[in-house]
Amino acid sequence: MRNWIVLVVCCLLQHVLSAQPSGKEDLRFDSLPSAWDEAIPLGNGMLGTLVWQKDQKLRLSLDRADLWDMRPMKGLHRKEFSYQWIRGQVLKKEYGVVQEYFDRPYNDDPAPSKIPGAALEFNTDGWGAVRSVHLQLANAICEVEWSNGVRLQTFVQAIQPVGWFRFENIDPAVLPELVAPKYQGNIDPSARGNVEGDDLALLGYKQGVVERGPQGTLLYDQEGWGGMSYQVSVRWKKIDAHTVEGVWSISSRYRGGKMPGRKAPGSSKEDPRATELTANALQRGYTADYTAHADWWWLFWRRSAIGVPDRVIEKQWYMEQYKFGSAARRGAPPISLQAVWTADNGRLPPWKGDFHHDLNTQLSYWPCYSGNHLEEGLSYLDHLDANKANYKRYTKLFFQSPGLAVPGVTTLDGTEMGGWVQYSLSPTVVAWLGQHYYLQWRYSMDRVFLRDRAYPWIREAAVFLESMTHERDSLGKRKLPMSSSPEINDNSLSAWFPRNTNYDLALMKFTFRTAAELADELGLKDQSLHWKKVLAEFGDFALTGNRELMFAPGMSYNQSHRHFSNMMAIHPLGLIKWEDGDSARAIITHSIALLDSIGPSAWCGYSYSWLANLKARAKDGEGAARALGIFARAFCAPNSFHLNGDQTKSGYSGFTYRPFTLEGNFAFAAGLQEMLLQSYAGFIEIAPAVPKQWKDLSFKSLRAEGAFLVSAEKRDGWFKEVSILSEKGGTTRLKLPFSVYTIVSHKGVFVKDERNGFLKLTTIPGGKLVLRAKGPVDSKI
């Protein structure tokens, strides 16, 4: 048995060799950024920093993911807070009071909200101009050099809650300054609104005090709302006459001693305070912490690699992988709108830095599956499971229904925040979240996860949605009492539809189909039969006469919009698949063509990322690559942050503003992966949607459904080699990227050539197949 385990491990290591970033993907500048949202980002899922320059000083913005003002949304939880009451107002067409009660508080009140930590500043007078700024992706370290020879190295330690800075060739008399957020003072009247962020002073906190202690220490304690507090600690020491090393950390405390939205760690002991964390770090030392940090990143980058001839797209993909590794970590909160890079401009972050589950969190985790980062992806599902009791409270309070529902906009512990209620209180939010449980199962084939987490979530979502769809339409099909499609018609009365929108219908069909599939997998035949019966009671998707997906019966796709909610059945849910034949292909082709023809005037950056995924599902490599290129060139800051609006003002969107959010970044990575590998249709397809001009490409260890790791190499327009490693064993089919091939090795793999361009592979755990083309003439695709 031991020898077999060693063999599997060796196969895994061989399969992912040479996957480190080469350096060409790194960020390099000849000056420090002068804006927080263009800064160099560093992070470990819990802590984050932004490296930039403010008022001619070097500035490190310090953040922690669980710093939250958790006060209840003012006026939200009144006696009218119920789905049935809102429906009554819709039927009476007296909707203004709904907007007043449940939409306005999110817009008018500054909290609940994510809040910033602090900032470290260094006076650089006398250092001269910045000579270079370099973010090394391979080691996740930022280096800055000045013309007088001063050199900074700074990183956020990958597995410890601390950040480090090291200065060489510096006068040790230079001392850091710890700058507290401005929680008191005159309120900037222009700093109002969710896009730009409210003034921090509106929170009404008593301003904390920064204390400079003996022997190189700084300490800042800040009280927040309702017993929450946080502490920032900085320590540094002189190494020699011209070298200084320092460390910082942030700790948080909530009433009750437990971070909201996180499962109890198995011990009632509170997390260490920042002062303890920095003291321990100094004892370990910079070198020891950096070594452990670099080792973590070495393993992270071994998970997958991509090489494509479009250097802009390739570099952007590596930046997205880097940011994902910096923002996603088990034991930390999941990726919010800005993750660990909260605004450092005296304001609250755009849209309160919250958890938007009507698109944003879902897109943020798209790349973890085929990108082979399932462990980091579990941070999302850990958070959802930890908050399940709170979601059940909400389900009973708002819907008066059994099962499980989730608010569309939430705080750290999953509490509803209101906002446009068609989406912030939508009944199908739980279904889209459920897809991530399904994907984690399909890509890992972890049967314990299936039994204990995936099916329980989806089963409870199905119980809830069954209870919500007792009403029937004129054709006798199940329907919600009222339906919506994010964020069509904004928050107006007309944003409610009397029949199922294609968005809601797709999510409900997915839930019942998946519940039946997973129940079958677990041998729960009666439950599977029940879910299949419920699924059969839903109607078909609303289509135009030209077979285009509509928003809802009676409303075609007739307006540009950032959220392609009518297209959910194509991607991400895969209910309408290209592989299903001519009818499905017509729906996909015509729906995307209509999207293109109406144009992008109301799109955001993430719309282009999503469009790339859609076009990849339509096998349109040129279209997918064009969408990714527009995203990278027009919607991102120089540091790769997604700024939502068209920064080039080239007509790619009517929005030219710049609120930073992350979902577009991560959906971009998923789009490129979708171009290179697809497995959603029951077989593995290599490069299903790449431009014809991409003559040379390669990828290593992209993950397919069934827990297969796939690598491929294409040179001079033809595929040379494909390898597939089976983690868990099982059966799959491979669509061959060449017509004449040689089996180089097939240890633990039984290969059957089906003589139709497919191979059937039956594998044991650790089984590996390597195929090589016999010649270029027969290998072009």
Side-chain angles (χ1 to χ4, degrees):
M1 180 66 181
R2 179 177 299 173
N3 291 336
W4 176 248
I5 293 171
V6 170
L7 174 63
V8 173
V9 172
C10 288
C11 287
L12 286 169
L13 289 175
Q14 289 174 4
H15 197 73
V16 293
L17 289 176
S18 304
Q20 296 295 305
S22 64
K24 65 184 180 181
E25 305 90 355
D26 293 354
L27 285 183
R28 300 175 189 269
F29 304 111
D30 56 11
S31 63
L32 280 166
S34 58
W36 73 270
D37 55 7
E38 296 183 2
I40 306 298
L42 303 165
N44 66 6
M46 183 62 84
L47 297 184
T49 188
L50 296 166
V51 183
W52 57 299
Q53 179 177 285
K54 182 178 181 181
D55 300 330
Q56 305 306 308
K57 293 182 179 180
L58 169 66
R59 188 173 177 97
L60 307 183
S61 306
L62 312 181
D63 193 18
R64 182 176 164 108
D66 65 351
L67 299 185
W68 263 79
D69 184 310
M70 297 281 286
R71 73 186 71 185
M73 185 62 74
K74 185 178 179 180
L76 186 67
H77 295 103
R78 56 180 72 235
K79 63 182 176 63
E80 294 88 354
F81 184 72
S82 80
Y83 185 82
Q84 289 302 324
W85 183 83
I86 293 173
R87 189 192 185 199
Q89 299 304 120
V90 170
L91 293 174
K92 292 187 293 185
K93 298 184 178 181
E94 296 177 1
Y95 199 67
V97 66
V98 177
Q99 296 167 324
E100 178 72 21
Y101 286 175
F102 305 129
D103 296 356
R104 281 193 59 182
Y106 186 90
N107 294 326
D108 291 352
D109 296 323
S113 176
K114 176 73 176 67
I115 59 176
L120 269 176
E121 285 192 342
F122 300 84
N123 191 333
T124 60
D125 286 347
W127 295 7
V130 170
R131 180 183 298 159
S132 67
V133 180
H134 181 197
L135 173 63
Q136 296 182 26
L137 299 193
N139 297 328
I141 188 169
C142 177
E143 297 181 343
V144 185
E145 294 188 14
W146 285 262
S147 60
N148 74 334
V150 172
R151 181 171 181 253
L152 164 69
Q153 293 180 306
T154 182
F155 64 95
V156 175
Q157 218 273 5
I159 55 177
Q160 297 286 346
V162 297
W164 281 92
F165 55 88
R166 174 185 169 93
F167 287 98
E168 298 173 357
N169 307 317
I170 192 176
D171 179 356
V174 175
L175 299 178
E177 296 291 334
L178 188 54
V179 182
K182 187 178 71 69
Y183 290 120
Q184 286 288 327
N186 296 327
I187 295 174
D188 180 356
S190 68
R192 294 304 303 267
N194 293 318
V195 176
E196 297 299 330
D198 287 331
D199 194 305
L200 287 174
L202 289 169
L203 296 174
Y205 297 166
K206 179 181 178 181
Q207 185 69 54
V209 178
V210 175
E211 300 177 0
R212 186 177 293 277
Q215 300 177 343
T217 61
L218 288 166
L219 183 65
Y220 166 53
D221 283 292
Q222 178 63 57
E223 293 184 4
W225 181 87
M228 177 270 186
S229 66
Y230 69 91
Q231 182 182 82
V232 184
S233 172
V234 186
R235 298 178 190 266
W236 65 96
K237 64 181 179 180
K238 176 180 173 182
I239 303 302
D240 58 37
H242 301 289
T243 305
V244 171
E245 293 175 354
V247 64
W248 63 269
S249 187
I250 305 176
S251 59
S252 64
R253 289 284 170 90
Y254 284 84
R255 183 174 293 162
K258 178 175 174 284
M259 183 182 85
R262 183 172 68 178
K263 288 186 176 180
S267 168
S268 59
K269 184 179 179 181
E270 291 183 332
D271 291 342
R273 299 291 274 167
T275 50
E276 182 182 346
L277 293 168
T278 54
N280 291 340
L282 272 188
Q283 288 184 349
R284 293 192 304 270
Y286 178 96
T287 300
D289 262 19
Y290 176 70
T291 300
H293 165 81
D295 287 347
W296 188 93
W297 279 98
W298 185 86
L299 291 171
F300 176 84
W301 289 114
R302 306 301 282 184
R303 294 292 182 188
S304 59
I306 281 175
V308 296
D310 189 314
R311 297 306 176 210
V312 171
I313 290 176
E314 181 185 76
K315 180 173 181 175
Q316 187 77 27
W317 183 84
Y318 273 95
M319 282 302 306
E320 307 313 355
Q321 295 298 101
Y322 165 77
K323 292 199 296 291
F324 190 80
S326 300
R329 198 75 90 255
R330 297 193 77 178
I335 298 168
S336 60
L337 292 177
Q338 295 84 27
V340 290
W341 301 301
T342 300
D344 183 13
N345 58 357
R347 300 183 178 192
L348 293 169
W351 294 287
K352 306 182 191 298
D354 61 32
F355 298 97
H356 263 54
H357 295 316
D358 71 339
L359 174 149
N360 307 80
T361 63
Q362 289 93 333
L363 270 61
S364 290
Y365 286 89
W366 275 357
C368 76
Y369 304 108
S370 62
N372 197 21
H373 291 292
L374 298 184
E375 178 71 11
E376 287 74 28
L378 280 169
S379 63
Y380 188 31
L381 308 184
D382 291 346
H383 169 85
L384 296 176
D385 282 341
N387 289 333
K388 190 178 281 189
N390 200 15
Y391 301 147
K392 291 234 176 196
R393 172 204 57 81
Y394 158 75
T395 307
K396 292 179 180 178
L397 174 67
F398 183 70
F399 292 104
Q400 293 92 48
S401 292
L404 183 68
V406 177
V409 180
T410 82
T411 65
L412 183 63
D413 70 354
T415 298
E416 57 275 12
M417 295 175 62
W420 294 359
V421 296
Q422 290 91 341
Y423 327 111
S424 70
L425 304 176
S426 164
T428 56
V429 170
V430 68
W432 196 353
L433 296 173
Q435 191 199 17
H436 282 268
Y437 284 85
Y438 178 71
L439 293 174
Q440 181 72 219
W441 149 244
R442 287 295 302 149
Y443 281 85
S444 70
M445 301 307 289
D446 182 337
R447 295 194 65 82
V448 175
F449 177 84
L450 166 67
R451 182 195 65 205
D452 295 347
R453 301 183 65 182
Y455 183 60
W457 180 280
I458 291 169
R459 181 189 62 227
E460 292 193 71
V463 168
F464 168 71
L465 292 172
E466 182 182 10
S467 76
M468 291 293 294
T469 54
H470 289 306
E471 293 187 15
R472 305 292 170 130
D473 63 17
S474 59
L475 298 176
K477 300 297 184 179
R478 282 182 176 267
K479 64 179 288 290
L480 290 166
M482 52 185 180
S483 188
S484 64
S485 186
E487 297 169 338
I488 306 307
N489 295 337
D490 296 341
N491 66 330
S492 67
L493 175 62
S494 63
W496 289 113
F497 294 85
R499 295 170 65 186
N500 291 331
T501 63
N502 277 339
Y503 171 82
D504 280 338
L505 180 60
L507 287 166
M508 291 188 290
K509 283 190 167 191
F510 172 84
T511 298
F512 291 108
R513 186 194 72 170
T514 302
E517 176 187 330
L518 300 190
D520 267 335
E521 185 70 31
L522 291 169
L524 305 172
K525 301 303 181 184
D526 290 345
Q527 292 186 37
S528 177
L529 288 173
H530 177 73
W531 300 133
K532 289 174 182 176
K533 177 178 179 296
V534 176
L535 174 62
E537 294 170 353
F538 285 91
D540 296 328
F541 294 110
L543 300 172
T544 67
N546 195 38
R547 301 193 64 74
E548 299 147 338
L549 283 165
M550 304 170 74
F551 285 125
M555 185 178 182
S556 63
Y557 184 87
N558 59 3
Q559 57 186 274
S560 179
H561 201 280
R562 60 195 171 272
H563 196 313
F564 304 150
S565 53
N566 64 312
M567 311 275 268
M568 290 284 290
I570 301 172
H571 183 276
L573 299 179
L575 300 177
I576 302 173
K577 299 188 292 290
W578 188 263
E579 295 77 6
D580 288 339
D582 292 342
S583 177
R585 292 181 183 187
I587 294 171
I588 294 169
T589 301
H590 295 170
S591 297
I592 294 176
L594 179 61
L595 192 75
D596 283 335
S597 69
I598 289 179
S601 63
W603 292 7
C604 291
Y606 67 69
S607 308
Y608 285 92
S609 297
W610 193 349
L611 180 63
N613 285 271
L614 283 164
K615 295 209 169 189
R617 288 286 174 96
K619 317 305 179 185
D620 178 4
E622 283 76 13
R626 181 176 182 273
L628 294 182
I630 291 172
F631 173 86
R633 291 176 173 90
F635 290 87
C636 292
N639 66 349
S640 81
F641 278 1
H642 166 229
L643 299 180
N644 276 272
D646 177 6
Q647 304 305 297
T648 66
K649 298 179 173 60
S650 300
Y652 295 124
S653 173
F655 296 113
T656 57
Y657 58 2
R658 53 179 297 140
F660 156 51
T661 58
L662 282 163
E663 71 295 310
N665 291 118
F666 300 130
F668 172 99
L672 180 55
Q673 293 161 205
E674 195 77 23
M675 294 169 67
L676 297 175
L677 182 72
Q678 292 179 11
S679 59
Y680 69 93
F683 60 87
I684 295 170
E685 186 171 7
I686 310 292
V690 299
K692 292 180 180 179
Q693 63 270 28
W694 285 15
K695 303 297 184 183
D696 300 288
L697 62 85
S698 63
F699 59 85
K700 292 180 181 292
S701 297
L702 293 186
R703 182 175 284 266
E705 291 192 25
F708 295 96
L709 298 179
V710 185
S711 299
E713 182 181 7
K714 180 183 182 184
R715 291 289 175 262
D716 300 322
W718 58 282
F719 273 89
K720 294 175 60 179
E721 186 171 290
V722 171
S723 66
I724 300 176
L725 175 66
S726 174
E727 275 192 347
K728 301 291 179 66
T731 301
T732 190
R733 297 172 72 228
L734 169 67
K735 184 177 181 180
L736 287 164
F738 28 57
S739 56
V740 182
Y741 63 90
T742 298
I743 298 178
V744 178
S745 66
H746 60 105
K747 293 180 180 179
V749 181
F750 176 77
V751 182
K752 179 182 180 181
D753 193 328
E754 298 183 342
R755 304 299 179 186
N756 58 358
F758 285 83
L759 297 182
K760 182 178 180 181
L761 311 179
T762 304
T763 71
I764 63 174
K768 184 177 181 181
L769 171 70
V770 179
L771 301 176
R772 189 168 295 153
K774 277 193 173 180
V777 174
D778 298 306
S779 305
K780 289 180 181 290
I781 64 170

